[in-house]
Amino acid sequence: MSGAGKCAVITGTARPSGIGRACARAFVRAGYNVLGVDKMRMQDSETDAALAEGRYFHTVIDVAAAVEVSFVPNSCKQHFGSPTIHCLINNAGVADPHMPQAAEAAVSHWRSVIDTNLSGAFLMSQACIPHMPAGDAAIIHISSTRARQSEPHSEAYAAAKAGMLGLTHAQAASLAHKVRVNAVLPGWIDTSGDPASITAADHAWHLTGRVGRPDDVAELCLFLADSCKAGFITGQEFVVDGGVSTKMVYPPDEAEPQDAPQQQQQPPPAEAAAPERPTEGDQGPPVIWPDE
């Protein structure tokens, strides 16, 4: 196993059907010890069998809170015997890209999305970098195709995801000869947990003939984390969208040819579940909540 004895820290792992959880499963299968980080406790109705081998631990931490993030290396040492971190995947984020129209609500939404999606990736990097072995470590930022193209009223999400691309090449330069840094830009990935909700037309819209799955992103992350396979790759952006962003489309027009494709909108990602308070059984630092 390529990751035997190595440690990966993956954020946004609470939801069983999400990209973060798919990454956790893939890295555990590859032999990594995995520390899952999320503001929510595990959302499973029953134990995830893929993570039941003693190489996965979940810690409840808000990635937008610098004090809480500082506990991550200690959590790795507590669970795996060493604070050394070979791979960091920054996947946690506010999933809803659509901003409210009311001015005050829009500002609140902006701050929440930027703090979690962008500042969270920076804070997690700052906490982990001192514990990453030079020449055998990788940071992977999960951005989005929305970093490059937008629907109306998605300023905060687009700005945060585009900011992750800038963070990627800046860190790649700053960490040259030490840590490789790359970004993955998923398109339409079905994280609903209900494949039957995807229609035949949804699948056909993609050049690959299907909507993406979380495992599609996880397998790419596993490749990028491997210094033997991806050791010459840093500062790069990898789009995982079934070819949609390269597909030419035209607006509806009576004058256009009969076989010209018609513009379609992709449905927005499902909203992230509201955060839940950690229970006494969760592994995490003491948290002082605003109303306490």
Side-chain angles (χ1 to χ4, degrees), residues 245-280:
S245 61
T246 62
K247 181 178 180 180
M248 184 176 288
V249 295
Y250 296 91
D253 190 323
E254 294 180 1
E256 70 183 32
Q258 291 294 317
D259 61 349
Q262 301 297 307
Q263 176 72 47
Q264 298 184 27
Q265 291 287 347
Q266 297 183 19
E271 289 193 24
E276 295 187 9
R277 293 169 179 265
T279 64
E280 293 182 359

Side-chain angles (χ1 to χ4, degrees), residues 1-287:
M1 294 184 288
S2 61
K6 293 185 177 182
C7 175
V9 173
I10 303 173
T11 68
T13 55
R15 294 181 61 242
S17 59
I19 289 174
R21 181 67 68 85
C23 289
R25 295 187 186 111
F27 276 70
V28 167
R29 284 196 302 268
Y32 283 81
N33 293 318
V34 176
L35 182 73
V37 174
D38 204 298
K39 192 174 182 178
M40 298 183 292
R41 59 194 177 95
M42 299 281 276
Q43 300 293 289
D44 306 69
S45 57
E46 55 187 43
T47 302
D48 188 329
L51 304 180
E53 300 179 14
R55 291 204 308 273
Y56 177 85
F57 289 92
H58 189 80
T59 185
V60 177
I61 285 175
D62 182 356
V63 298
V67 172
E68 296 185 29
V69 166
S70 68
F71 283 87
V72 168
N74 287 337
S75 292
C76 291
K77 183 176 181 180
Q78 175 187 349
H79 294 302
F80 309 127
S82 171
T84 301
I85 298 166
H86 297 84
C87 180
L88 167 65
I89 300 179
N90 284 310
N91 167 73
V94 177
D96 183 7
H98 298 99
M99 295 187 71
Q101 294 301 292
E104 185 174 344
V107 171
S108 177
H109 178 82
W110 171 275
R111 287 174 175 162
S112 174
V113 173
I114 296 296
D115 283 352
T116 302
N117 296 32
L118 181 55
S119 297
F122 173 74
L123 292 174
M124 285 293 300
S125 298
Q126 290 295 96
C128 293
I129 287 169
H131 303 278
M132 304 185 90
D136 191 24
I139 295 174
I140 303 168
H141 298 304
I142 306 299
S143 179
S144 169
T145 52
R146 289 174 182 268
R148 297 179 172 177
Q149 51 186 199
S150 294
E151 294 175 297
H153 312 302
S154 60
E155 287 83 352
Y157 192 86
K161 292 301 187 178
M164 294 181 84
L165 303 185
L167 179 62
T168 295
H169 58 70
Q171 286 182 327
S174 298
L175 299 173
H177 310 294
K178 299 177 183 177
V179 179
R180 295 177 299 104
V181 187
N182 292 290
V184 174
L185 289 69
W188 187 349
I189 305 295
D190 177 21
T191 61
S192 68
D194 180 18
S197 66
I198 305 298
T199 68
D202 295 333
H203 288 299
W205 173 243
H206 294 75
L207 299 185
T208 53
R210 68 171 175 84
V211 171
R213 297 186 285 261
D215 284 346
D216 294 321
V217 178
E219 291 299 325
L220 177 56
C221 290
L222 197 58
F223 168 76
L224 292 173
D226 192 325
S227 297
C228 295
K229 296 177 180 178
F232 196 53
I233 302 174
T234 192
Q236 303 304 307
E237 304 166 10
F238 296 87
V239 174
V240 186
D241 74 344
V244 167
S245 61
T246 62
K247 181 178 180 180
M248 184 176 288
V249 295
Y250 296 91
D253 190 323
E254 294 180 1
E256 70 183 32
Q258 291 294 317
D259 61 349
Q262 301 297 307
Q263 176 72 47
Q264 298 184 27
Q265 291 287 347
Q266 297 183 19
E271 289 193 24
E276 295 187 9
R277 293 169 179 265
T279 64
E280 293 182 359
D282 292 310
Q283 296 293 325
V287 179

